[in-house]
Structure formats: C-alpha cells, structure tokens
Amino acid sequence: MNSRLSPPEVASFVGLGLLAVGSYLPWVRTNAAGPVPAVYLPGMNTGLDLWGLVIVPLAVAAAVALLWRPGRRASRVATAAAGGVACLLALVELSSYPRLDASPFAPAVGVYVTLAGGVVALAATGWSAMAFEP
C-alpha cells in the first residue's frame, strides 16, 4: 500500500466523504411555501431512510478500493460507480418535486450534498484517468 495519495485520490476521498455526509443528512423537508402536513416521509429524518443504505456501502467500498488499490482501474471504477449512482439517485429525488410552490414537501440539504459529492467523485475519477494514472 502506497502511503502517498495523488491529488485525484484525495479529491476522490473528499467526494466519497460528501456522499457519506449527504446520505446521513435529511433528504426531504416540509415546504415553507405551502401548508405543512402532519405526515412523515422517508428521508425527513435522515437520508439513510431513503437512498443512504444504497449510497453509503458503495462509498465505503470505493474508499476501501482506493486505500487497498489492488489495481488502479478497480479503484477508479468503484469511485465512478459510487459517484454515478449517488448522482442518479439524487437527481431522481430532485425530480420528485417539479413544482416547489405546489408541493407540501421539498428536497433538503442532504440531496444537494450527495449530488455535490457524486459530481466531485466523478470529476476526480476522470482527472485520475486522464492526468495521473495509466
């Protein structure tokens, strides 16, 4: 195991960390523009109720692959898979609320943090593939 990480690997860890944090934060909140319903939806307390149980294991597996690195391609694929799945699930959740003025619920901060983490992980994977790694 190499003790020095390249800048793309550090960026990958930042993205994977954002995925883990975003999965823990709430993904759904009540909309202040409309009436507040007395309903609890999955994701209002934590994103683990919604998609976090899919995203967190992928992020952990990608982090382990980056640390262990049996092959650089394997760690890039794991990071890209975690980032891509997280982006897809965050975009699906964001598309659930097309009109925020008419919906009693809105996306919360966890969706945006997860989306940002997925974008950072995908960008770091591309950076690693193009600039530093064979």
Side-chain angles (χ1 to χ4, degrees):
M1 177 159 66
N2 190 358
S3 63
R4 293 186 51 106
L5 296 174
S6 67
E9 290 169 333
V10 172
S12 295
F13 277 115
V14 169
L16 294 172
L18 285 173
L19 290 181
V21 169
S23 293
Y24 182 72
L25 293 172
W27 277 41
V28 180
R29 64 176 173 82
T30 56
N31 193 355
V36 178
V39 175
Y40 176 79
L41 291 178
M44 290 182 89
N45 189 25
T46 176
L48 294 174
D49 294 343
L50 200 58
W51 293 112
L53 292 178
V54 174
I55 295 171
V56 171
L58 287 173
V60 168
V64 168
L66 277 170
L67 287 174
W68 185 45
R69 291 191 305 194
R72 295 194 189 276
R73 179 168 289 166
S75 64
R76 282 195 306 258
V77 167
T79 303
V85 167
C87 282
L88 177 70
L89 293 176
L91 290 173
V92 165
E93 185 63 26
L94 285 173
S95 70
S96 299
Y97 308 101
R99 293 198 48 209
L100 292 179
D101 59 342
S103 175
F105 299 102
V109 67
V111 176
Y112 300 110
V113 172
T114 302
L115 184 61
V119 169
V120 168
L122 287 172
T125 301
W127 182 18
S128 175
M130 290 177 22
F132 288 94
E133 310 297 336

